[in-house]
Amino acid sequence: MAQFQWTQPVAAPSRQATPEWVQRLVSRYFDWEDGITLVLLLGATISVAATLESGGWSTQMPALTLVSVLAAVSALVLCRSRIPAVLAWAASLSTGAAIVFWQTLVMVGPGSIGQRLDNLYFRFDAWFYAAFHDGVSNDSLPFHVLVLAITWLGVFLFAWSVFRWHNAWIGLIPGGIALFIDLAFVGDSLGGPALLYYLFGFLLIMRTNLVSRMARWRQAGIEYPQLISFTFLNFSFWALLALITAAWLAPSGPFSTPRVVERVVVKVEDVGIDFVRLAGPLRSNKIVPIHNYTTVLPFQGSIRLGDREVLSVNVTTPGVQGPLALRGTTYDTYESGGWKAGERDDARLSGQAPGHLNQQIIDGAVEGSVIRMNVQIEAKTVAGTVLFTAGEPLASDPAVTARVPAGSLQRLPVDLPQEGRGMSDQEIMRNHLPANYIGVRVVRGEQGVVQYVEVFDARDQAVPDTVILDPGRRLRRGTGYDVTSFVRSVTAEDLRATDRNYPLWVRDQYAQLPDRYSRQVRRFAYDTAVQSLAAKNIL
């Protein structure tokens, strides 16, 4: 038996040396300093992505968190690969397109690859048709694909700016905007996610500043503590906690929202409302301003019928009894995703129409009531985006823009002395128009030359068909307006006696089949008529 010598050292087991290229690879991509930065970046990113994904702008939101993590890791790898920025961004776009396409096929649903591709093609074809024909889409897939693509690009740019440029602001601002949109239009509160975003964002800003200084220190040969990163994070955390506490305890103050900010918000809402018709069925926990009488009324968002007063209406015309139905606007076309308005022309309320209408009522040619009322805005809602009337509007105070169906007003050239120079609009419309034509607006060119007069034929209609009165901006709470409108009395016998000699603009807008389906509908109607006549032995 061999004797063991305790005084002799035991030889260590032989180990194969790690290849140098592996050591370089590990040191490049797995530096613990980059690990700290990546954790903070993922914390800020996931606090936004998870909020949007769980809150649900629409049903079955895509995997935003997964895409965000993949984008951040890809940016870190490409930043540390030391390849040119152009090639790195090209690789990012290719990788992002592949990941978005993969998630798109997941959202399409079950089936083979061919079936999913066919489904994808037909759904996007219908969406593009609605987009370019002012339609309303009820399919959320294109919106989800857009959100995925924006998420990939935004997070990659965020991570690239952090790891390559040592700048966190470029990515934090879009994330804050996303949280604000979610709070304003979808969720009820964002206390937890917003607090996490502030925390990680603030720490990331301090972290990038420190990393930038550390790089300069290394270049200058200045020594610094190895664990300065943890010391800096500890100091930044307590400083942020003190700032949040001070902001929470500070009084809100007597200041109201500046007018310029309100105007910007209204403009943003207008853009968002026009886009929402293509976003599919949005889901919201609060009332969002997508039903504010624009050209599209989508079947989306929340509608809560509460008991608060929105408007107060005082009818000043004596002898008016019974309930009145108020009208804000009218829509022409119904689709699966909502209602949309037809083509409209800007006009103004005719100053000649009320007098002509009163004479028609006295002569018995028209039956109805002229109603004057005062409307007060009692709450800040979408009800302040239009002027409500009890019928066809005749006059308003203040004066607003009236919109009429396209083609309902005629452009009538008028032969005037000196081409209308020096003549008032009222004089021209009162004394220089043919019989039965009522002037609405005089359009002038250079040096006051009258180009034409917008008129309507009183033989076809008593007053112009006005679809909306637009005040130009949302009326504030506590303001009001006066409006005069005409409510026509029509009996069932009057409707039965109406012929089909409609004006040309009515036939053009309301008596035509949709372009996309007209041939199919006509063929189906023709075949049905032939079969019906054959069944009755007429053919």
Side-chain angles (χ1 to χ4, degrees), residues 132-389:
F132 290 103
H133 292 80
D134 296 329
V136 179
S137 174
N138 204 29
D139 188 357
S140 59
L141 178 64
F143 174 72
H144 290 166
V145 175
L146 176 62
V147 172
L148 280 177
I150 293 177
T151 299
W152 175 272
L153 292 176
V155 174
F156 186 89
L157 176 61
F158 186 15
W160 182 273
S161 64
V162 168
F163 291 112
R164 180 64 68 92
W165 301 328
H166 303 305
N167 188 329
W169 286 105
I170 297 178
L172 288 175
I173 293 176
I177 294 175
L179 283 178
F180 172 77
I181 294 176
D182 187 85
L183 175 62
F185 296 103
V186 181
D188 290 326
S189 64
L190 286 177
L195 182 60
L196 290 176
Y197 188 71
Y198 298 152
L199 172 63
F200 286 109
F202 183 80
L203 295 179
L204 192 59
I205 292 173
M206 305 299 290
R207 172 68 181 167
T208 52
N209 290 333
L210 175 62
V211 170
S212 179
R213 291 185 180 184
M214 290 168 59
R216 292 197 298 267
W217 291 341
R218 286 194 295 267
Q219 292 178 357
I222 302 175
E223 295 183 359
Y224 56 87
Q226 293 183 353
L227 300 181
I228 189 175
S229 297
F230 294 103
T231 304
F232 212 73
L233 287 177
N234 181 51
F235 171 78
S236 302
F237 174 79
W238 291 109
L240 175 63
L241 186 61
L243 288 175
I244 293 178
T245 304
W248 184 272
L249 297 177
S252 59
F255 303 103
S256 59
T257 305
R259 292 287 185 90
V260 63
V261 175
E262 290 189 350
R263 287 196 292 266
V264 171
V265 171
V266 171
K267 293 297 182 182
V268 172
E269 287 180 356
D270 293 340
V271 175
I273 292 163
D274 185 63
F275 170 78
V276 80
R277 66 184 177 88
L278 302 174
L282 295 180
R283 186 175 62 187
S284 173
N285 296 326
K286 60 171 33 176
I287 299 176
V288 294
I290 61 176
H291 307 129
N292 65 343
Y293 309 100
T294 57
T295 56
V296 176
L297 182 65
F299 296 151
Q300 301 170 5
S302 174
I303 300 178
R304 300 176 184 176
L305 301 179
D307 56 357
R308 66 169 179 167
E309 291 188 1
V310 177
L311 301 172
S312 61
V313 181
N314 179 27
V315 178
T316 58
T317 302
V320 176
Q321 297 180 353
L324 295 175
L326 301 183
R327 183 185 70 180
T329 187
T330 59
Y331 293 94
D332 307 326
T333 305
Y334 172 80
E335 296 183 354
S336 60
W339 287 88
K340 68 175 184 178
E343 297 183 5
R344 299 172 175 180
D345 291 335
D346 289 348
R348 64 179 60 171
L349 296 178
S350 172
Q352 307 297 316
H356 181 78
L357 176 63
N358 289 331
Q359 187 61 44
Q360 286 183 308
I361 295 176
I362 294 174
D363 296 339
V366 176
E367 294 184 2
S369 303
V370 176
I371 298 177
R372 301 175 180 85
M373 61 185 187
N374 175 265
V375 180
Q376 293 292 323
I377 308 297
E378 302 294 344
K380 182 182 178 181
T381 64
V382 295
T385 57
V386 296
L387 265 62
F388 285 87
T389 66

Side-chain angles (χ1 to χ4, degrees), residues 397-432:
D397 183 21
V400 296
T401 300
R403 291 191 173 90
V404 298
S408 61
L409 297 180
Q410 305 178 35
R411 295 183 176 183
L412 183 67
V414 183
D415 186 13
L416 299 171
Q418 298 182 355
E419 298 181 316
R421 297 186 184 91
M423 301 178 63
S424 66
D425 294 351
Q426 298 298 327
E427 179 183 359
I428 295 174
M429 290 188 291
R430 184 173 57 249
N431 301 327
H432 296 274

